[in-house]
């Protein structure tokens, strides 16, 4: 027996439209979180210094060691192995924290939380898939680079609304109308 209007639970008339709206809202949110922080110098500098330079320090040290300290005609397997390990540990750690931050911080945007969980599972599978030593180093470096870029982007969107990283709006009013009379007086104040 079909449910009549007003009986039982409310059923949306057009679920296809709701689904396309849900996807559009997710992509719009991801796009806004991608572009908006770029206007904040503090956010960009924090990202570059704290996340890209310091956070990926192990990768940079191993890359430096491989490029400048190893014999380029025959780089040692420990140099390549160190870089592999640094890459394989960098991107899952960064992506994992960013995804968990999205899961915990998003109270109302369920599709963004679902996106974060999906990204976390895919990153974890990729890290496990490229970590065995039988996988060629070049394959690890290519997939590791792509996964690292994804992890950096995930950190960016996870922190895009953090007020501690964003510059204040200098056009926002900070108090009363500047033409208004100041409150208080200097009675009893001596120099």
């Amino acid at each position: 027996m079909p449910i009549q209007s007003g009986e039982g639970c409310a059923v949306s008339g057009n679920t296809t439209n709701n689904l396309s709206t849900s996807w559009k809202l997710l992509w719009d949110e991801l796009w806004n979180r991608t572009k908006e922080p770029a206007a904040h110098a503090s956010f960009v500098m924090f990202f570059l210094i704290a996340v890209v330079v310091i956070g990926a320090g192990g990768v940079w040290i191993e890359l430096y060691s491989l490029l400048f300290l190893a014999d380029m005609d025959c780089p040692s397997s420990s140099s390549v192995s160190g870089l592999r390990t640094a890459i394989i540990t960098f991107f899952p750690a960064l992506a994992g924290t960013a995804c968990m931050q999205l899961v915990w911080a998003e109270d109302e945007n369920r599709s963004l939380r679902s996106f974060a969980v999906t990204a976390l599972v895919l990153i974890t599978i990729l890290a496990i898939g490229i970590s065995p030593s039988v996988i060629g180093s070049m394959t690890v470096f290519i997939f590791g680079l792509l996964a690292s870029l994804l992890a950096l982007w995930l950190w960016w969107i996870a922190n895009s609304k953090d007020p501690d990283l964003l510059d204040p709006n200098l056009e926002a009013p900070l108090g009363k109308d500047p033409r208004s009379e100041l409150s208080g007086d200097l009675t009893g104040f001596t120099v």
Side-chain angles (χ1 to χ4, degrees), residues 20-133:
S20 65
T21 302
S22 175
W23 283 104
K24 181 174 179 357
L25 290 174
L26 173 62
W27 297 128
D28 288 348
E29 181 68 16
L30 291 173
W31 174 247
N32 289 335
R33 285 174 175 252
T34 300
K35 69 176 181 160
E36 287 173 5
H40 296 269
S42 297
F43 185 93
V44 174
M45 286 187 272
F46 183 90
F47 174 75
L48 292 174
I49 294 168
V51 180
V52 175
V53 174
I54 297 171
V59 175
W60 299 126
I61 290 169
E62 290 298 331
L63 186 61
Y64 176 80
S65 175
L66 180 66
L67 294 177
F68 299 108
L69 302 179
D71 180 10
M72 293 313 289
D73 293 330
C74 183
S76 69
S77 62
S78 65
S79 305
V80 174
S81 172
L83 182 58
R84 284 174 62 114
T85 302
I87 290 172
I88 291 171
T89 57
F90 169 69
F91 73 83
L94 182 61
T97 55
C99 289
M100 292 305 295
Q101 183 178 353
L102 279 171
V103 169
W104 276 328
E106 288 303 316
D107 292 332
E108 298 186 19
N109 195 337
R110 186 180 293 175
S111 62
L112 191 57
R113 288 192 337 238
S114 299
F115 171 79
V117 170
T118 303
L120 180 59
V121 168
L122 293 175
I123 288 283
T124 302
I125 290 170
L126 179 63
I128 292 169
I130 66 172
S131 62
S133 59

